Amino acid sequence: MPFHSVEHTKDVYNYTKTIAQYEEVYGAELDPVLIAALFHDTGMAETYIDHEEQSAIYAREYLKKVKYPEEKIKVVVNCIMATKMPQNPKTKAEKIICDADLYHLGIESYLFKNERLRVEWENFFNRFYTDEEWYALNVDFLKNQKYHTWFGKTVLKNRKEMNYKVLLERHEKYKV
């Protein structure tokens, strides 16, 4: 897939580590969040919509097989499920992975990554957006999306707001 690729999974894994440092989550407390980052989109192998449920099943099955502690399996599963849109994380671990999954909204390459998502939706849903529709959809998404960690609310939010302004300007060109 153009967006939900191995690269995206690696990015979410690394973003999880970055955010966790700022949230002072380390070692054994961080391990299940990193595992969740690796599994969070694996369900897309079977279904795109509601893939989080299948991702959680894959994670649970694998972790039980390797005798991972049940209390940590619950953390992994809860983290995966927290990435489902709209996000509503409850714990620090869930907040970390949610912000890691949407980290790309707050980086310079967002617009490029966003075009990859557009192609993915065209290929997967056979839904073709006009530029006006695509920009409107994404302006609305960025306007309403909220980060949950300190890192997200400060570092990522600033760049996300810049990306929002670029999309808004592009969208405004079509409203004339």
Side-chain angles (χ1 to χ4, degrees), residues 13 16 18-20 25 27 29 45 57 60 71 79 86 90 96-97 100 129 162 165:
Y13 179 86
T16 297
T18 299
I19 295 169
V25 175
E29 188 182 359
I57 290 168
R60 178 176 289 289
E71 67 275 3
C79 283
K90 305 276 190 275
I96 290 169
I97 194 167
Y129 294 89
M162 290 171 57
K165 288 176 185 173

Side-chain angles (χ1 to χ4, degrees), residues 33-54:
V33 190
L34 292 173
I35 292 168
L38 294 173
F39 276 96
H40 84 283
D41 282 336
T42 56
M44 286 191 174
E46 290 202 27
T47 183
Y48 199 101
I49 297 174
D50 296 331
H51 67 275
E52 296 86 0
E53 286 85 354
Q54 187 61 49

